[in-house]
Amino acid sequence: MNTRGLRSQLKDSVPVAGLCTQAGSYGVQDPLRKGFSSVKNELLPSHPLELSEKNFHLNQDKMNFSTLRNIQGLHAPLKLQMEYRATRQIQRLPFLQSSNIALDTLRGNDESIGFEDVLNDPAQSEVMGDPHMMMEYKLGLL
Amino acid sequence: MALSYILETPCPGFNFENSTRNTVLDGLLSGGKSKTPSPLKTGTTIAGVVCEGGVVLGADTRATSSEVVADKMCAKIHYIAPNIYCCGAGTAADTEKTTELLASNLSIFSLNSGRNPRVVMAAQIVQDMLFRYHGQIGANLILGGVDCAGGHLYTIGPYGDMDKVPYLAMGSGDLAAMAILEDGFKPNMELESAKKLVRDAIHSGIMSDLGSGNNVDICVITRQGVDYIRPYEESVYKDKRYRRYKYKAGTSAVLTERVIPLEVVEETVQSMDTA
């Protein structure tokens, strides 16, 4: 019985296991691409929008769910979050780009267009992870 | 162990990877003498007036890049919806892209619901978008349109502040234009006098501000439709460009003439196989 394999099948995404934040592709410091490493660079955000953009959807969801809870009671955000969790699990294999149709419909992204649809589209990314390795990582066999 | 095969999918949207590099490079190149290229600003005069039966929007047509006029016939009145147009001042690319995104969102809404969008909806969408980016998107917009509730005029600043006003001027020439508007505005003006008032306001912006110039564009939005007059008035300081600089045959006199016939000495033909 492979409990390790079963547990890692519940992962939502494939995180990068880095040795240090300045690590490039081969696990050592990459000053050409990432610049000279300093503690200040790693702790403080370099752009005023960096942190707020990274957490934008999380913060918006938190705000909406807490308002909903205050207005309609606990059941409303509970049911919605259950639906979000269910749709977030509909994914292709880790190295392929998933369309996230159900998740987009729930969030309302299918009726609006923003910078996320135009800039840095992951469907047009020029790099791809190695299929076998990413599957093994996801199943915990690595 | 190499980690190149485990990839974190990039987040869609803005990418801040290069911002540390950019701040380091900003003063570093050749001892601080060369600077990073600055974005194209429109240094503008834009104005709008709510009149009886609709809204009149006006803009100049100059786009500057520091001290040089980059575009003499820049279009600053952007299409948002069949009944809504938007004038933009500030960074040229930001106003273009923000208005294009707004137009796309509103057309999705129109296709979904089958109605023309209301002006307040457009103002709300763009206000949310600009507030999210905390002023980093440099777009000062005047949104004007006619919907089921009449004519409306909204101003939206780069930090996301919104105001609903009967007459308005923005851009670097807004003080000059506002003076004319304050003097001549009356509630429920008729269309022709509103057009003349907006033209006078833009003209005073063109005369008094270095960043505004060239022609005046006017956009009249009424319940019946839109009249986008571009240019409404051309600048008197236009230059005349002929675009063809060929001289007539015989312009320069021929002094002597010597003809040397070429003799063909040897001719070889080498055939190429074209597959």
Side-chain angles (χ1 to χ4, degrees):
Chain A
M1 182 159 120
N2 194 355
T3 50
R4 202 161 143 247
L6 275 174
R7 177 175 53 85
S8 14
Q9 268 173 11
L10 298 172
K11 262 195 237 182
D12 286 331
S13 62
V14 185
V16 172
L19 297 171
C20 58
T21 48
Q22 290 287 312
S25 334
Y26 293 98
V28 294
Q29 286 188 355
D30 196 355
L32 183 69
R33 289 193 191 88
K34 307 239 184 324
F36 294 111
S37 61
S38 73
V39 178
K40 183 178 131 195
N41 277 349
E42 289 163 35
L43 290 179
L44 294 176
S46 47
H47 195 273
L49 280 184
E50 197 174 339
L51 282 180
S52 82
E53 277 296 297
K54 200 158 69 159
N55 300 327
F56 182 73
H57 287 295
L58 282 169
N59 285 340
Q60 220 187 17
D61 284 348
K62 257 193 250 181
M63 204 171 68
N64 288 338
F65 282 136
S66 73
T67 327
L68 202 56
R69 180 189 178 155
N70 289 335
I71 298 176
Q72 295 189 10
L74 185 57
H75 76 99
L78 211 57
K79 278 198 186 142
L80 280 178
Q81 281 192 324
M82 195 178 74
E83 288 176 15
Y84 277 117
R85 265 179 199 255
T87 50
R88 217 176 286 147
Q89 285 177 5
I90 309 170
Q91 298 269 320
R92 284 181 191 238
L93 296 178
F95 51 91
L96 291 174
Q97 190 52 39
S98 325
S99 66
N100 289 328
I101 281 187
L103 189 58
D104 276 350
T105 313
L106 265 187
R107 284 181 178 280
N109 286 345
D110 61 337
E111 286 181 336
S112 70
I113 186 168
F115 289 114
E116 300 84 44
D117 302 303
V118 177
L119 298 173
N120 217 8
D121 193 6
Q124 291 170 6
S125 133
E126 292 158 351
V127 291
M128 186 175 108
D130 181 25
H132 298 289
M133 297 295 178
M134 292 190 74
M135 270 313 289
E136 286 176 22
Y137 187 80
K138 182 181 170 193
L139 295 174
L141 301 170
L142 204 56
Chain B
M1 192 160 79
L3 299 168
S4 54
Y5 45 79
I6 298 182
L7 190 72
E8 194 176 277
T9 46
C11 248
F14 288 108
N15 191 350
F16 297 103
E17 275 179 7
N18 285 335
S19 47
T20 15
R21 181 202 70 171
N22 289 345
T23 43
V24 166
L25 280 181
D26 212 3
L28 210 61
L29 294 172
S30 66
K33 286 196 201 75
S34 71
K35 293 195 310 233
T36 49
S38 59
L40 181 71
K41 297 186 81 91
T42 46
T44 307
T45 309
I46 45 180
V49 159
V50 176
C51 62
E52 181 191 33
V55 171
V56 180
L57 299 171
D60 73 309
T61 57
R62 174 181 288 184
T64 52
S65 156
S66 308
E67 293 93 33
V68 178
V69 174
D71 192 351
K72 289 192 272 282
M73 236 344 226
C74 175
K76 297 186 189 176
I77 307 187
H78 310 279
Y79 167 86
I80 304 282
N83 56 332
I84 305 176
Y85 274 72
C86 174
C87 306
T91 310
D94 288 346
T95 54
E96 282 266 354
K97 279 301 160 191
T98 314
T99 46
E100 273 179 26
L101 277 179
L102 178 62
S104 304
N105 273 321
L106 286 182
S107 68
I108 296 178
F109 165 78
S110 306
L111 291 168
N112 260 341
S113 64
R115 297 154 203 254
N116 265 344
R118 296 195 60 174
V119 188
V120 66
M121 182 178 170
Q124 197 66 48
I125 292 177
V126 85
Q127 182 191 26
D128 285 341
M129 196 192 303
L130 290 178
F131 179 67
R132 175 177 166 178
Y133 294 103
H134 297 293
Q136 300 282 335
I137 295 186
N140 297 287
L141 304 172
I142 294 186
L143 206 70
V146 173
D147 54 24
C148 54
H152 307 276
L153 198 64
Y154 287 89
T155 162
I156 298 128
Y159 285 86
D161 59 297
M162 177 175 93
D163 202 6
K164 183 174 185 321
V165 277
Y167 60 93
L168 184 57
M170 282 190 106
S172 55
D174 63 347
L175 293 174
M178 204 51 161
I180 301 285
L181 287 176
E182 292 270 4
D183 192 35
F185 178 78
K186 286 180 261 303
N188 269 341
M189 291 173 80
E190 56 170 34
L191 206 63
E192 284 307 315
S193 41
K195 269 161 74 170
K196 184 167 183 319
L197 180 64
V198 171
R199 177 252 158 222
D200 286 342
I202 305 289
H203 183 74
S204 91
I206 289 174
M207 286 292 135
S208 317
D209 179 42
L210 285 180
S212 319
N214 302 94
N215 311 332
V216 178
D217 287 347
I218 295 263
C219 183
V220 182
I221 312 171
T222 53
R223 216 175 266 271
Q224 287 79 33
V226 172
D227 194 11
Y228 189 173
I229 313 168
R230 174 171 151 86
Y232 182 73
E233 180 181 319
E234 285 197 334
S235 141
V236 291
Y237 301 106
K238 255 169 36 114
D239 54 355
K240 233 173 140 194
R241 293 193 179 185
Y242 298 101
R243 291 180 197 274
R244 303 174 115 249
Y245 296 100
K246 275 180 85 129
Y247 294 99
K248 283 192 313 201
T251 313
S252 45
V254 176
L255 298 177
T256 50
E257 195 177 306
R258 195 174 105 185
V259 176
I260 306 172
L262 293 175
E263 297 173 24
V264 177
V265 177
E266 192 193 329
E267 190 177 313
T268 53
V269 175
Q270 185 180 44
S271 61
M272 208 169 67
D273 54 349
T274 51

